[in-house]
Amino acid sequence: IALKARNCYRKRIKDLNGNYHAIYAKTVKEMDEKVRAFRLEIQEVLAAEARMRKKPIRPSKNNPLFDTYAQEWLDLYCGPLAYGTQIDYRTVCKNHVIPPLSGMCIQEIRPKDINWAMVQVCGKSESVYDKTYMMLKQIFLSAIADGIITSNPCPPARKGGIPPKPKQALTKEQISTLLCAIEGTNTH
Protein backbone atom coordinates (compact mmCIF):
# COMPACT_ATOMS: atom_id res chain seq x y z
CA ILE A 1 0.00 0.00 0.00
CA ALA A 2 1.46 3.35 -0.95
CA LEU A 3 1.11 6.15 1.61
CA LYS A 4 1.19 9.52 -0.17
CA ALA A 5 1.63 11.62 2.99
CA ARG A 6 4.85 9.82 3.92
CA ASN A 7 6.03 9.03 0.36
CA CYS A 8 6.59 5.40 1.29
CA TYR A 9 5.05 1.95 1.17
CA ARG A 10 3.47 0.14 4.10
CA LYS A 11 2.59 -3.50 4.55
CA ARG A 12 0.99 -5.01 7.64
CA ILE A 13 2.00 -8.58 8.47
CA LYS A 14 0.58 -10.84 11.15
CA ASP A 15 3.01 -12.45 13.55
CA LEU A 16 2.63 -15.82 15.28
CA ASN A 17 0.54 -14.27 18.07
CA GLY A 18 -1.92 -12.74 15.62
CA ASN A 19 -0.66 -9.17 16.10
CA TYR A 20 -0.08 -6.96 13.07
CA HIS A 21 3.29 -5.32 12.46
CA ALA A 22 3.57 -2.38 10.07
CA ILE A 23 6.59 -2.46 7.78
CA TYR A 24 7.57 0.74 5.96
CA ALA A 25 9.87 1.16 2.96
CA LYS A 26 10.68 3.80 0.37
CA THR A 27 10.77 1.39 -2.60
CA VAL A 28 9.03 -1.84 -3.57
CA LYS A 29 12.36 -3.67 -3.61
CA GLU A 30 13.18 -2.49 -0.10
CA MET A 31 9.68 -3.57 1.02
CA ASP A 32 10.19 -7.07 -0.41
CA GLU A 33 13.52 -7.35 1.43
CA LYS A 34 12.00 -6.22 4.75
CA VAL A 35 9.02 -8.58 4.41
CA ARG A 36 11.34 -11.47 3.56
CA ALA A 37 13.52 -10.63 6.60
CA PHE A 38 10.46 -10.47 8.89
CA ARG A 39 9.19 -13.85 7.69
CA LEU A 40 12.68 -15.33 8.08
CA GLU A 41 12.78 -14.02 11.64
CA ILE A 42 9.48 -15.80 12.37
CA GLN A 43 10.88 -19.03 10.96
CA GLU A 44 14.01 -18.70 13.12
CA VAL A 45 11.94 -18.18 16.28
CA LEU A 46 9.86 -21.25 15.54
CA ALA A 47 12.93 -23.35 14.77
CA ALA A 48 14.56 -22.24 18.03
CA GLU A 49 11.41 -23.17 19.98
CA ALA A 50 11.37 -26.59 18.34
CA ARG A 51 15.01 -27.15 19.35
CA MET A 52 14.34 -26.10 22.94
CA ARG A 53 11.79 -28.82 23.58
CA LYS A 54 13.24 -30.78 26.45
CA LYS A 55 12.06 -34.35 26.08
CA PRO A 56 11.16 -35.61 22.65
CA ILE A 57 8.13 -37.85 22.66
CA ARG A 58 8.89 -41.31 21.34
CA PRO A 59 6.70 -42.59 18.52
CA SER A 60 4.36 -45.46 19.34
CA LYS A 61 1.27 -47.15 17.96
CA ASN A 62 -0.91 -44.61 19.78
CA ASN A 63 1.32 -41.67 18.87
CA PRO A 64 2.84 -42.16 15.40
CA LEU A 65 5.23 -39.84 13.63
CA PHE A 66 3.44 -37.17 11.63
CA ASP A 67 5.07 -38.16 8.32
CA THR A 68 4.02 -41.81 8.75
CA TYR A 69 0.45 -40.89 9.70
CA ALA A 70 0.15 -38.30 6.91
CA GLN A 71 1.27 -40.86 4.31
CA GLU A 72 -1.26 -43.40 5.61
CA TRP A 73 -3.98 -40.73 5.55
CA LEU A 74 -3.05 -39.81 1.99
CA ASP A 75 -3.13 -43.44 0.81
CA LEU A 76 -6.49 -44.03 2.51
CA TYR A 77 -8.35 -40.85 1.54
CA CYS A 78 -6.97 -40.21 -1.95
CA GLY A 79 -8.15 -43.56 -3.34
CA PRO A 80 -11.64 -42.49 -4.49
CA LEU A 81 -10.47 -39.15 -5.92
CA ALA A 82 -9.85 -38.46 -9.60
CA TYR A 83 -6.33 -39.26 -10.83
CA GLY A 84 -5.36 -35.60 -11.38
CA THR A 85 -6.57 -34.64 -7.90
CA GLN A 86 -4.60 -37.53 -6.39
CA ILE A 87 -1.41 -36.36 -8.11
CA ASP A 88 -2.04 -32.77 -6.97
CA TYR A 89 -2.65 -33.81 -3.33
CA ARG A 90 0.36 -36.14 -3.26
CA THR A 91 2.60 -33.36 -4.61
CA VAL A 92 1.32 -30.81 -2.07
CA CYS A 93 1.65 -33.34 0.75
CA LYS A 94 5.17 -34.41 -0.26
CA ASN A 95 6.48 -30.86 -0.77
CA HIS A 96 4.58 -28.70 1.73
CA VAL A 97 2.69 -30.72 4.37
CA ILE A 98 5.11 -33.42 5.52
CA PRO A 99 8.56 -31.67 5.47
CA PRO A 100 7.96 -28.98 8.13
CA LEU A 101 6.46 -31.48 10.62
CA SER A 102 8.58 -34.49 9.71
CA GLY A 103 10.04 -36.35 12.68
CA MET A 104 7.48 -35.00 15.14
CA CYS A 105 4.94 -37.21 16.86
CA ILE A 106 1.29 -36.30 16.29
CA GLN A 107 0.67 -35.51 19.99
CA GLU A 108 3.57 -33.06 20.24
CA ILE A 109 2.44 -30.84 17.34
CA ARG A 110 1.11 -27.48 18.51
CA PRO A 111 -0.57 -24.52 16.73
CA LYS A 112 2.83 -22.75 16.46
CA ASP A 113 4.14 -25.74 14.49
CA ILE A 114 1.18 -25.46 12.11
CA ASN A 115 1.80 -21.71 11.75
CA TRP A 116 5.43 -22.46 10.92
CA ALA A 117 4.34 -24.92 8.23
CA MET A 118 2.01 -22.26 6.79
CA VAL A 119 4.78 -19.61 6.84
CA GLN A 120 6.74 -21.97 4.57
CA VAL A 121 4.02 -21.77 1.88
CA CYS A 122 3.01 -18.11 2.20
CA GLY A 123 5.18 -17.30 -0.83
CA LYS A 124 3.49 -19.96 -2.96
CA SER A 125 0.21 -19.64 -4.86
CA GLU A 126 -3.07 -19.11 -3.03
CA SER A 127 -4.15 -22.56 -4.25
CA VAL A 128 -1.10 -24.32 -2.75
CA TYR A 129 -1.54 -22.37 0.51
CA ASP A 130 -5.22 -23.37 0.78
CA LYS A 131 -4.56 -27.02 -0.09
CA THR A 132 -1.75 -27.23 2.46
CA TYR A 133 -3.98 -25.89 5.23
CA MET A 134 -6.90 -28.10 4.19
CA MET A 135 -4.73 -31.22 4.21
CA LEU A 136 -3.21 -30.42 7.61
CA LYS A 137 -6.66 -29.84 9.05
CA GLN A 138 -8.03 -33.08 7.56
CA ILE A 139 -5.05 -35.14 8.77
CA PHE A 140 -5.57 -33.92 12.34
CA LEU A 141 -9.35 -34.44 12.15
CA SER A 142 -8.61 -38.01 11.12
CA ALA A 143 -6.21 -38.36 14.08
CA ILE A 144 -9.01 -37.17 16.38
CA ALA A 145 -11.37 -39.75 14.88
CA ASP A 146 -8.71 -42.45 15.41
CA GLY A 147 -8.35 -41.44 19.07
CA ILE A 148 -4.71 -40.35 18.75
CA ILE A 149 -5.35 -36.73 19.80
CA THR A 150 -8.27 -34.96 21.47
CA SER A 151 -8.17 -31.57 19.73
CA ASN A 152 -7.09 -30.21 16.38
CA PRO A 153 -3.89 -28.12 16.64
CA CYS A 154 -4.74 -26.22 13.42
CA PRO A 155 -5.41 -22.56 14.27
CA PRO A 156 -8.25 -20.76 12.47
CA ALA A 157 -7.57 -20.40 8.75
CA ARG A 158 -5.98 -17.21 7.46
CA LYS A 159 -5.76 -15.88 3.97
CA GLY A 160 -2.38 -16.45 2.42
CA GLY A 161 -0.44 -17.20 -0.69
CA ILE A 162 -0.06 -15.20 -3.85
CA PRO A 163 -3.40 -14.54 -5.56
CA PRO A 164 -3.68 -15.59 -9.21
CA LYS A 165 -3.21 -13.00 -11.90
CA PRO A 166 -6.48 -11.96 -13.56
CA LYS A 167 -7.12 -13.62 -16.89
CA GLN A 168 -7.94 -11.56 -19.91
CA ALA A 169 -11.14 -12.39 -21.79
CA LEU A 170 -11.03 -13.21 -25.50
CA THR A 171 -11.57 -10.30 -27.88
CA LYS A 172 -14.37 -10.38 -30.47
CA GLU A 173 -11.83 -11.19 -33.20
CA GLN A 174 -10.40 -14.08 -31.18
CA ILE A 175 -13.89 -15.44 -30.56
CA SER A 176 -14.78 -15.31 -34.25
CA THR A 177 -11.44 -17.00 -35.16
CA LEU A 178 -12.14 -19.74 -32.61
CA LEU A 179 -15.68 -20.28 -33.88
CA CYS A 180 -14.43 -20.50 -37.48
CA ALA A 181 -11.78 -23.03 -36.44
CA ILE A 182 -14.26 -25.36 -34.72
CA GLU A 183 -17.04 -24.97 -37.28
CA GLY A 184 -18.10 -28.32 -38.62
CA THR A 185 -16.46 -30.27 -35.81
CA ASN A 186 -18.24 -32.23 -33.11
CA THR A 187 -17.42 -30.05 -30.07
CA HIS A 188 -19.12 -30.33 -26.75
Side-chain angles (χ1 to χ4, degrees), residues 34-153:
K34 286 185 175 184
V35 167
R36 192 175 301 111
F38 184 80
R39 289 185 174 146
L40 191 64
E41 186 179 315
I42 289 173
Q43 289 176 357
E44 289 171 0
V45 167
L46 287 170
E49 286 178 1
R51 285 191 301 271
M52 291 180 68
R53 290 196 183 116
K54 294 182 182 173
K55 251 196 228 177
I57 300 172
R58 296 188 62 151
S60 67
K61 181 179 162 188
N62 295 331
N63 189 18
L65 289 172
F66 176 79
D67 33 349
T68 304
Y69 190 81
Q71 191 60 50
E72 288 174 8
W73 176 86
L74 193 62
D75 293 340
L76 183 63
Y77 290 98
C78 276
L81 299 175
Y83 179 73
T85 306
Q86 285 182 25
I87 297 297
D88 194 25
Y89 282 10
R90 287 186 191 285
T91 302
V92 169
C93 196
K94 182 181 86 172
N95 295 333
H96 307 295
V97 173
I98 293 176
L101 303 174
S102 181
M104 296 176 74
C105 290
I106 294 271
Q107 292 176 359
E108 74 176 283
I109 295 174
R110 302 287 174 250
K112 285 185 177 183
D113 300 317
I114 304 297
N115 284 334
W116 184 70
M118 296 312 296
V119 166
Q120 302 294 314
V121 292
C122 65
K124 305 291 182 190
S125 71
E126 203 173 71
S127 172
V128 168
Y129 185 91
D130 292 343
K131 285 176 192 167
T132 302
Y133 182 79
M134 180 272 307
M135 290 178 81
L136 284 167
K137 189 173 178 182
Q138 291 302 318
I139 288 167
F140 287 110
L141 286 174
S142 179
I144 291 171
D146 290 343
I148 296 171
I149 55 176
T150 56
S151 63
N152 195 334

Side-chain angles (χ1 to χ4, degrees), residues 9-11 23 25 27-35:
Y9 295 91
R10 178 184 77 178
K11 183 165 181 115
I23 297 176
T27 65
V28 175
K29 184 177 180 181
E30 182 184 357
M31 175 61 72
D32 289 341
E33 290 171 5
K34 286 185 175 184
V35 167

